[in-house]
Amino acid sequence: MANSFTRMITGRNTAVMMAMGAGTLASAFLLSDNTAAAERRRFYPPSADYPDLRKHNNCMALAMTPTIYAHLRDKATPNNWTLDQCIQTGVDNPGHPFIKTVGMVAGDEESYEVFAELFDPVIKDRHNGYDPRTMKHPTDLEASKITSGMFDERYVLSSRVRTGRSIRGLSLPPSCTRSERREVERVVVTALSGLKGDLAGRYYSLGEMNEREQQQLIDEHFLFDKPVSPLLTAAGMARDWPDARGIWHNNDKNFLIWINEEDHTRIISMEKGGNMKRVFERFCRGLKQVEHLIQERGWEFMWNENLGYILTCPSNLGTGLRAGVHIRLPFLSKDPRFKKIMENLRLQKRGTGGVDTAATGDTFDISNLDRLGKSEVELVQLVIDGVNYLIECEKRLERGQDIKIPSPISQFRK
Amino acid sequence: MPFGNTHNNFKLNYKVEEEFPDLSKHNNHMAKALTKEIYAKLRDKQTPSGYTLDDVIQTGIDNPGHPFIMTVGCVAGDEESYEVFKDLLDPVISDRHGGYKPTDKHKTDLNFENLKGGDDLDPNYVLSSRVRTGRSIKGYTLPPHNSRGERRAIEKLAVEALTSLDGEFKGKYYPLKSMTDAEQEQLISDHFLFDKPVSPLLTCAGMARDWPDARGIWHNDSKTFLVWVNEEDHLRVISMQKGGNMREVFRRFCVGLQKIEEIFKKHNHGFMWNEHLGYILTCPSNLGTGLRGGVHVKLPKLSTHAKFEEILTRLRLQKRGTGGVDTASVGGVFDISNADRLGSSEVEQVQLVVDGVKLMVEMEKKLEKGEAIDSMIPAQK
């Protein structure tokens, strides 16, 4: 992993390179760089600091045990990120009886290794039993493999694919320093300025945009706001807002990148209508070009063969991909079998405002549930096949015909 | 993030310019005082418990402030913060506390008998009287920085101290996390209950972490003496009652505080105090006495008088709405309290409130009779 680094670094200390190069063989450093930490360990054994999770319903709280806490409390990643910092958001946000949140975040790539004893069961819980110790995640961005990717536009209003990418060697949003965040912005914006043709575009820094630009971006549904969700703020992701945050989009306004929101980058391909195949094709092409452009300067994305693409939230590991449509399903959405059909197709519905919003009327946001254990091509195909099935059901119900619940799709590649 | 010495040595690999925060749109004391030179000098320092400069200033970076209201924009993580980060905190303290110099000494006077008068504020106008302060317990880090283990130890010690009180101070502790619905309702209607902080000034400083673990409220049976545990400070101590007998409120305040302090001292955990900054609290604005003594007073006519603000300034008083800081007044009733915390004693500050409120009530009565109050306007105190 760390072997083919050549980075053009200006004014950087070699110590940084060595700390960054730890990668999958990250060693856990003990918090021994000051006597205060040693004193704390003496006066406060792990049991004194063990969080009260009795009212909690999130993956972290369900996986945490006093033994795990005792093993991991005094460890730190090479960037000095600790377990308590990973779990703070889950301690501060007990969760909801109906919605099981993840309850922990990574501060850097090495978090997933140093704190594996807790991350692994959380990943298993969230990703249908996926075991990072033994399983390999497939990455496949060959859009040409997609079939039937054109939806009936009487039902599908828009199509969208998003993912995230992290820049290897820089800490993640919960933990990054201002200079690291600014570095992410520089690296990505420089790379994006190299995009050409239908991908050529420009960058809008959140801190410097004028009122008119801001309104424009809001109207186009591109602008992201300072996070208000306590899930994100308790994890430290809103620090120093809006420093080094921004939005880039191409002139055609169908390829868009968020910089330094919940992840280093969020990459979005979208358009009105039902041409999911074209959306995905542009997505893959754009991603590959961006990756190539950053590699030219010696950078790369965080990725490994067990966890796929490394992102801040464990729920986004693997592909980090959410492919979805805004779709009208007036008959099907009222059918009592709707929920089960979605479940078996491994799809989820959200309101048209995105996660944690309600649907308006009969229009839903339908997307893949899974992220890890299946490739991008597999997941997008799953969404295409699933949405086509939903449209079929809708048409049948329109005609007064009956519909069938499909058999459940299997979790991982056999 | 606060708690844990994350990244500090790692950050030193980056140049000062790369790390220096963008404070161009900011209006708070920290943003005014912080220069690249100060940042460069202090960024590799940490207190013995591992609190760093970036921890101190994070809340001020995340909350640019308001053109009209000057917030402090920095907090202490422990007692030593005020020493290790002097180069930043001294100018902040001076700006906030009327030019208080690093060489100045602060006077502590909790002898309630030194207060003159204060028992005769007209209850037709003065609806309630209240004195509050904060105390930090030596040997523990402060709310922005402390761990769950420390916070629980503070709670344990506080509860031990408080439950040993008797006589007029005999009372009970209600931990936030195990309060029953009935208890919660009661505490809300008594105006005692404090909530999880939502103000970003506090949340960005890490004070709401692990809520409601080790937080609670203690009050005496007669509901006139109340202690908040582990909110914005280790302890907030409040003495209050309906009506205008500020003297009695202050007496109970002083007596109660001294009783509590004795018990903590016995456990070798006295209060944080030094002769320059007085009582050490989380926010630099509360240094010195940490005291806010005030009344809820009806001043419908005076409050609309053109010179109201000036009168308050000259009397060294400030107004707030009846919901406390950052709220609006309701029905002409204002919360009037001392503006100063550092550089004058508890007795002196409460004296200003007592004298000032008395004068303002007399002005209100004059205005009711249609008379002018210009001759009554005081000189700057």
Side-chain angles (χ1 to χ4, degrees):
Chain A
M1 179 240 98
N3 36 30
S4 56
F5 265 131
T6 44
R7 212 187 294 163
M8 274 186 347
I9 298 159
T10 47
R12 276 235 193 163
N13 194 305
T14 36
V16 175
M17 279 187 70
M18 296 195 340
M20 297 301 87
T24 49
L25 294 174
S27 38
F29 289 65
L30 280 185
L31 278 173
S32 59
D33 58 355
N34 62 53
T35 50
E39 267 207 18
R40 261 193 211 211
R41 283 200 297 283
R42 257 191 317 123
F43 283 130
Y44 300 100
S47 54
D49 278 331
Y50 191 73
D52 182 351
L53 302 170
R54 287 171 298 173
K55 295 201 174 95
H56 289 57
N57 183 42
N58 57 53
C59 298
M60 179 279 290
L62 294 170
M64 177 67 87
T65 66
T67 308
I68 292 178
Y69 189 74
H71 284 171
L72 299 180
R73 185 193 70 158
D74 297 328
K75 295 207 165 69
T77 67
N79 308 324
N80 221 19
W81 184 251
T82 64
L83 178 75
D84 276 319
Q85 287 166 315
C86 285
I87 67 173
Q88 191 67 58
T89 179
V91 174
D92 290 345
N93 295 290
H96 193 271
F98 303 158
I99 303 169
K100 195 158 87 169
T101 43
V102 176
M104 67 188 298
V105 291
D108 49 20
E109 189 167 6
E110 296 83 353
S111 298
Y112 286 106
E113 194 54 44
V114 173
F115 307 116
E117 211 179 326
L118 183 61
F119 272 108
D120 285 354
V122 166
I123 289 167
K124 257 201 196 136
D125 187 9
R126 181 65 177 208
H127 296 284
N128 315 305
Y130 187 88
D131 183 357
R133 296 293 118 199
T134 58
M135 294 162 87
K136 300 228 190 304
H137 169 81
T139 292
D140 184 356
L141 286 159
E142 286 308 317
S144 56
K145 294 178 183 170
I146 295 294
T147 60
S148 324
M150 181 69 216
F151 298 123
D152 186 334
E153 289 179 344
R154 286 173 297 170
Y155 301 90
V156 173
L157 309 173
S158 61
S159 309
R160 180 184 189 266
V161 180
R162 71 87 159 146
T163 189
R165 290 290 185 265
S166 310
I167 310 293
R168 173 161 284 159
L170 296 167
S171 309
L172 297 171
S175 103
C176 62
T177 69
R178 281 181 291 278
S179 52
E180 285 186 294
R181 204 186 291 114
R182 292 164 181 172
E183 180 96 78
V184 169
E185 187 187 35
R186 261 198 304 275
V187 170
V188 177
V189 172
T190 305
L192 294 172
S193 65
L195 290 175
K196 300 194 192 334
D198 69 322
L199 294 178
R202 74 161 266 209
Y203 181 62
Y204 301 84
S205 146
L206 238 63
E208 286 155 35
M209 75 175 56
N210 61 48
E211 296 262 338
R212 199 184 38 81
E213 287 168 335
Q214 188 171 305
Q215 195 52 54
Q216 179 79 33
L217 289 164
I218 291 175
D219 295 337
E220 288 162 341
H221 306 291
F222 284 173
L223 190 63
F224 64 89
D225 246 330
K226 177 170 176 174
V228 291
S229 164
L231 300 176
L232 300 185
T233 55
M237 298 198 224
R239 287 171 305 125
D240 314 313
W241 204 272
D243 197 319
R245 271 82 167 194
I247 291 171
W248 181 98
H249 70 76
N250 65 350
N251 299 326
D252 292 343
K253 297 186 183 179
N254 51 28
F255 189 65
L256 159 70
I257 301 188
W258 290 353
I259 294 178
N260 286 319
E261 192 235 11
E262 184 185 333
D263 280 294
H264 284 172
T265 64
R266 283 288 178 96
I267 294 117
I268 301 151
S269 171
M270 60 200 260
E271 60 185 65
K272 291 242 180 287
N275 199 339
M276 179 61 93
K277 188 173 163 91
R278 184 167 64 202
V279 167
F280 186 55
E281 180 278 323
R282 185 172 52 245
F283 175 83
C284 295
R285 189 163 45 88
L287 265 176
K288 289 201 196 120
Q289 285 189 28
V290 173
E291 182 161 22
H292 178 73
L293 287 161
I294 66 167
Q295 281 170 342
E296 275 179 347
R297 286 179 169 75
W299 297 92
E300 54 185 35
F301 292 143
M302 289 185 198
W303 179 95
N304 70 50
E305 59 176 7
N306 299 111
L307 294 177
Y309 289 100
I310 303 294
L311 294 174
T312 305
C313 182
S315 69
N316 282 320
L317 290 167
T319 59
L321 184 140
R322 193 170 92 84
V325 296
H326 279 190
I327 182 171
R328 286 187 54 249
L329 297 169
F331 280 96
L332 183 57
S333 58
K334 296 188 186 59
D335 192 291
R337 293 164 288 188
F338 185 40
K339 193 159 173 269
K340 188 68 182 160
I341 293 173
M342 295 275 289
E343 204 181 291
N344 285 3
L345 292 173
R346 306 239 26 97
L347 296 175
Q348 74 172 179
K349 78 176 196 300
R350 297 182 179 190
T352 46
V355 71
D356 299 332
T357 63
T360 42
D362 313 305
T363 309
F364 296 89
D365 176 315
I366 305 275
S367 62
N368 54 297
L369 263 171
D370 305 319
R371 306 267 185 272
L372 176 63
K374 288 193 175 140
S375 74
E376 290 80 355
V377 164
E378 284 176 298
L379 289 174
V380 172
Q381 191 64 59
L382 181 150
V383 171
I384 288 170
D385 297 342
V387 168
N388 278 329
Y389 191 90
L390 295 176
I391 293 173
E392 260 315 297
C393 289
E394 183 69 21
K395 287 176 173 169
R396 292 179 72 89
L397 290 172
E398 278 172 19
R399 299 192 290 258
Q401 292 170 310
D402 198 16
I403 58 175
K404 254 178 50 150
I405 298 176
S407 17
I409 292 175
S410 65
Q411 304 294 21
F412 306 119
R413 238 189 227 167
K414 293 285 174 245
Chain B
M1 275 180 73
F3 179 62
N5 189 21
T6 298
H7 267 132
N8 209 51
N9 294 333
F10 168 79
K11 274 179 213 167
L12 300 178
N13 296 314
Y14 294 88
K15 295 201 226 102
V16 172
E17 295 70 43
E18 291 173 319
E19 278 296 341
F20 193 74
D22 180 356
L23 300 172
S24 50
K25 297 200 175 90
H26 288 58
N27 184 43
N28 57 52
H29 289 296
M30 179 280 291
K32 274 178 69 180
L34 187 68
T35 62
K36 285 216 174 89
E37 291 70 36
I38 293 178
Y39 189 79
K41 183 171 179 200
L42 298 180
R43 71 181 190 128
D44 62 346
K45 309 257 180 312
Q46 63 193 53
T47 65
S49 73
Y51 206 61
T52 68
L53 179 68
D54 276 321
D55 292 328
V56 170
I57 67 177
Q58 190 66 54
T59 180
I61 298 172
D62 290 344
N63 296 289
H66 193 271
F68 304 159
I69 303 170
M70 189 77 155
T71 44
V72 176
C74 54
V75 291
D78 50 20
E79 191 166 6
E80 296 83 352
S81 296
Y82 287 105
E83 194 52 45
V84 174
F85 306 112
K86 275 178 87 48
D87 289 313
L88 173 66
L89 294 176
D90 280 351
V92 166
I93 288 168
S94 176
D95 200 9
R96 182 64 176 207
H97 295 284
Y100 195 76
K101 298 193 288 298
T103 48
D104 284 339
K105 301 256 178 290
H106 171 80
K107 201 175 9 155
T108 292
D109 181 359
L110 282 160
N111 193 343
F112 66 91
E113 279 161 2
N114 291 341
L115 184 71
K116 300 194 205 10
D119 52 357
D120 59 351
L121 297 174
D122 188 338
N124 292 315
Y125 294 83
V126 178
L127 308 176
S128 60
S129 309
R130 179 185 189 266
V131 179
R132 70 85 159 149
T133 188
R135 290 290 185 262
S136 308
I137 303 171
K138 245 179 134 56
Y140 298 104
T141 59
L142 298 172
H145 188 38
N146 57 22
S147 65
R148 283 181 290 275
E150 282 189 290
R151 210 185 289 114
R152 290 161 181 171
I154 291 163
E155 185 192 35
K156 187 154 176 278
L157 202 49
V159 171
E160 223 182 282
L162 295 167
T163 50
S164 70
L165 296 175
D166 60 5
E168 61 174 325
F169 297 107
K170 184 162 172 311
K172 182 178 165 185
Y173 182 66
Y174 302 86
L176 244 59
K177 71 174 167 184
S178 50
M179 201 173 275
T180 67
D181 281 345
E183 287 168 339
Q184 188 172 305
E185 281 300 317
Q186 184 66 49
L187 287 165
I188 290 175
S189 46
D190 289 332
H191 304 290
F192 283 175
L193 191 62
F194 63 90
D195 245 330
K196 177 170 177 174
V198 292
S199 163
L201 299 176
L202 299 184
T203 55
C204 292
M207 298 197 224
R209 288 173 301 126
D210 314 313
W211 204 273
D213 198 318
R215 272 82 166 193
I217 290 172
W218 179 95
H219 70 77
N220 66 351
D221 295 338
S222 44
K223 298 186 182 179
T224 54
F225 192 73
L226 161 69
V227 178
W228 291 352
V229 179
N230 285 321
E231 194 235 12
E232 184 184 333
D233 281 293
H234 288 168
L235 307 173
R236 282 287 178 97
V237 178
I238 300 150
S239 169
M240 59 201 260
Q241 65 192 51
K242 292 242 179 285
N245 195 344
M246 181 59 98
R247 188 180 183 80
E248 171 60 15
V249 168
F250 189 54
R251 181 205 65 79
R252 188 169 52 242
F253 175 82
C254 294
V255 171
L257 261 178
Q258 276 156 345
K259 280 192 193 291
I260 297 172
E261 181 159 21
E262 265 161 49
I263 302 171
F264 276 102
K265 275 196 185 140
K266 261 197 244 146
H267 284 94
N268 290 320
H269 280 289
F271 294 146
M272 290 183 197
W273 179 95
N274 69 48
E275 60 174 7
H276 166 51
L277 294 176
Y279 289 101
I280 303 294
L281 293 175
T282 303
C283 181
S285 69
N286 282 321
L287 290 166
T289 59
L291 185 142
R292 193 170 91 83
V295 298
H296 281 189
V297 56
K298 280 201 277 215
L299 297 171
K301 290 200 152 24
L302 184 59
S303 58
T304 52
H305 192 282
K307 294 237 180 336
F308 184 46
E309 297 291 339
E310 199 186 322
I311 292 168
L312 285 172
T313 306
R314 290 187 183 200
L315 292 173
R316 310 200 66 78
L317 299 176
Q318 68 172 192
K319 75 177 198 295
R320 298 181 181 191
T322 47
V325 69
D326 299 331
T327 64
S329 123
V330 172
V333 179
F334 287 85
D335 177 315
I336 304 284
S337 62
N338 55 298
D340 305 319
R341 306 266 185 275
L342 180 62
S344 50
S345 73
E346 288 80 354
V347 166
E348 285 169 333
Q349 287 167 8
V350 176
Q351 192 70 64
L352 282 171
V353 175
V354 158
D355 297 345
V357 170
K358 198 161 181 201
L359 179 63
M360 291 200 294
V361 168
E362 279 164 30
M363 286 176 166
E364 180 72 18
K365 288 175 176 170
K366 277 250 163 147
L367 290 172
E368 277 172 18
K369 291 197 284 229
E371 292 169 28
I373 54 164
D374 299 314
S375 56
M376 295 170 77
I377 293 176
Q380 176 67 55
K381 291 209 175 292

